[in-house]
Amino acid sequence: MLTLLHKWNRLSLVKRILVGIIVGVLLALVFPRAAGLSIFGSVFVSALKAVAPILVFLLVIAAISQHKKGSPTNMKSVILLYAVSTFLAGLTAVVASFLFPVKLSLIEGTEDLTPPGGIAEVLQTLLLNVVDNPISALMNANYIGILAWGILLGVALKSAKDSTKTTISNLSDAVSMIVKWVINLAPIGIMGLVYESITANGLQSLLDYGKLLLVLIGCMLFIALVVNPVIVYLAIRRNPYPLVFSCLRESGVTAFFTRSSAANIPINMKMCEKMKLNPDTYSVSIPLGATINMGGAAVTISVLTLAAVHTLGIEVDFGTAIVLTLLSAVSAAGASGVAGGSLLLIPLACSLFGIPNEVAIQVVGIGFIIGVLQDSAETALNSSSDVLFTATAEYAKNRKEFGNA
């Protein structure tokens, strides 16, 4: 038994996760009504969500308090890459929606949803999150607030005694070790998530929205496999696909099943550590990316909004389409500050075309129906690109300084 366990632990995490996926599918097909199997997935996601806020908080404080003056962090480059990618994701979705127009069968029963009233409300919510109470930010996984307090405390502790900095660093290392223990449970957790997804949702309810899903997921695949690699190539000037596939395999797979950028932060942190990236950068860029790097959300907002436009027969000119691209990019960056994420920002985009709120809310309802695949693909794209662009910024800096990555 110990020999078998040792061999299991020697397998890479990705291979163990693939085993978990296969077992989850088989269990769902053979024992569709088995009680208790889905609890493994719930416990795994809950454990990741529980440890992620305190991990980010301590890592940011430790990294900034011990940061030496004159040592670059690449944060400007990372943020620029996040912004460019999110804008191009929205633009890709707009172009795809015109090439492959989708019409919807609108539904009822979504009147209780309350989307934000405008872009100002989205940005206001985001700004209020920055000045949130630190205890509240940790309890509610408000990563904008966690980052703000982590940065402020890190700067304030720069002049602290070395013993204080060592204590913070030791606490950060201890929480990182707990994270590694949790991540080792990923195969069992993902088995439970796969089982729950198949038995609870099935695929029958998705067939009526097949074309819409094809456009949505097609856009996300195009961004992951074409747009983002082009951005990476222009930055590092070498074949981007080994890095792209590594990020999709090690970060995208777990994000697809957890459907939570916050839950995937520890996975991304571990991957950055494995790649030997600068901790001063990734301790900030990864949680920041989970908040503002939302290419998948920009796709969702644009595609579903234009599906409503095509359904109602509204004519759209090129200028309005570009405005939609900008709006979807800005809205997507603020999606974390809105309950319901990207889907509840669709009425905001629909208002650009004069679509009444009661119709836009029906589109949101369709989004929830296809969410089992849409949200999974969206999260996988968002989260994997956090690592991708963090690594790209560092490799680009190394290329300029040393002539290689």
Side-chain angles (χ1 to χ4, degrees), residues 197-217:
S197 180
I198 293 176
T199 55
N201 299 293
L203 296 177
Q204 187 63 39
S205 62
L206 302 176
L207 294 179
D208 293 338
Y209 302 100
K211 187 176 180 182
L212 177 61
L213 275 169
L214 283 175
V215 174
L216 277 167
I217 296 177

Side-chain angles (χ1 to χ4, degrees), residues 275-298:
M275 295 165 72
K276 295 181 170 58
L277 301 181
N278 182 0
D280 287 356
T281 298
Y282 73 71
S283 62
V284 179
S285 69
I286 295 300
L288 182 65
T291 306
I292 68 167
N293 183 33
M294 295 288 174

Side-chain angles (χ1 to χ4, degrees), residues 176 180 268-277 282:
S176 296
K180 289 178 182 178
N268 286 348
M269 290 282 199
K270 185 181 180 185
M271 188 175 176
C272 289
E273 181 184 4
K274 179 181 172 183
M275 295 165 72
K276 295 181 170 58
L277 301 181
Y282 73 71

Side-chain angles (χ1 to χ4, degrees), residues 30-374:
V30 178
F31 306 107
R33 291 181 177 83
L37 287 176
S38 60
I39 192 66
F40 293 111
S42 300
V43 169
F44 173 64
V45 174
S46 296
L48 283 175
K49 286 183 176 180
V51 76
I54 190 66
L55 170 70
V56 169
F57 188 58
L58 290 173
L59 278 174
V60 171
I61 294 175
I64 292 178
S65 65
Q66 298 181 37
H67 177 65
K68 295 178 180 178
K69 192 174 181 180
S71 178
T73 62
N74 306 319
M75 279 305 302
K76 289 182 181 178
S77 298
V78 174
I79 291 172
L80 178 62
L81 289 168
Y82 285 169
V84 170
S85 174
T86 302
F87 173 78
L88 291 179
L91 183 61
T92 299
V94 168
V95 172
S97 293
F98 279 105
L99 291 176
F100 309 101
V102 176
K103 291 187 178 181
L104 306 173
S105 299
L106 297 178
I107 63 172
E108 301 293 341
T110 51
E111 293 80 5
D112 57 335
L113 297 171
T114 54
I119 191 67
E121 185 177 333
V122 174
L123 297 178
Q124 178 185 342
T125 303
L126 203 59
L127 184 60
L128 289 174
N129 282 340
V130 174
V131 294
D132 192 11
N133 179 293
I135 304 301
S136 173
L138 286 168
M139 289 178 62
N140 298 309
N142 166 19
Y143 286 96
I144 285 290
I146 291 169
L147 277 172
W149 280 102
I151 291 169
L152 289 173
L153 285 171
V155 171
L157 288 168
K158 274 192 171 185
S159 57
K161 294 180 180 179
D162 288 342
S163 58
T164 303
K165 294 180 182 179
T166 301
T167 300
I168 294 171
S169 180
N170 289 341
L171 284 171
S172 175
D173 291 342
V175 175
S176 296
M177 180 59 69
I178 293 172
V179 168
K180 289 178 182 178
W181 296 341
V182 173
I183 289 174
N184 278 330
L185 298 175
I188 298 173
I190 286 178
M191 176 204 72
L193 290 168
V194 170
Y195 178 86
E196 181 181 18
S197 180
I198 293 176
T199 55
N201 299 293
L203 296 177
Q204 187 63 39
S205 62
L206 302 176
L207 294 179
D208 293 338
Y209 302 100
K211 187 176 180 182
L212 177 61
L213 275 169
L214 283 175
V215 174
L216 277 167
I217 296 177
C219 284
M220 294 178 193
L221 285 172
F222 184 80
I223 292 156
L225 300 177
V226 179
V227 175
N228 284 352
V230 169
I231 295 173
V232 173
Y233 173 77
L234 292 174
I236 67 176
R237 300 292 176 174
R238 62 184 174 87
N239 182 6
Y241 283 100
L243 177 60
V244 169
F245 289 139
S246 177
C247 292
L248 289 172
R249 183 176 65 250
E250 298 190 34
S251 173
V253 169
T254 52
F256 184 90
F257 290 105
T258 62
R259 295 172 64 184
S260 169
S261 293
N264 215 49
I265 286 175
I267 304 285
N268 286 348
M269 290 282 199
K270 185 181 180 185
M271 188 175 176
C272 289
E273 181 184 4
K274 179 181 172 183
M275 295 165 72
K276 295 181 170 58
L277 301 181
N278 182 0
D280 287 356
T281 298
Y282 73 71
S283 62
V284 179
S285 69
I286 295 300
L288 182 65
T291 306
I292 68 167
N293 183 33
M294 295 288 174
V299 169
T300 297
I301 294 167
S302 297
V303 169
L304 284 170
T305 298
L306 288 175
V309 167
H310 295 312
T311 300
L312 299 174
I314 299 172
E315 294 293 329
V316 180
D317 56 70
F318 180 75
T320 308
I322 293 299
V323 172
L324 173 62
T325 301
L326 289 168
L327 182 65
S328 64
V330 174
S331 299
S336 62
V338 180
S342 59
L343 291 178
L344 283 188
L345 291 168
I346 291 167
L348 172 61
C350 283
S351 67
L352 184 66
F353 303 96
I355 297 174
N357 192 60
E358 56 269 21
V359 174
I361 286 295
Q362 293 182 53
V363 178
V364 174
I366 292 173
F368 280 117
I369 291 174
I370 63 173
V372 64
L373 289 180
Q374 168 268 325

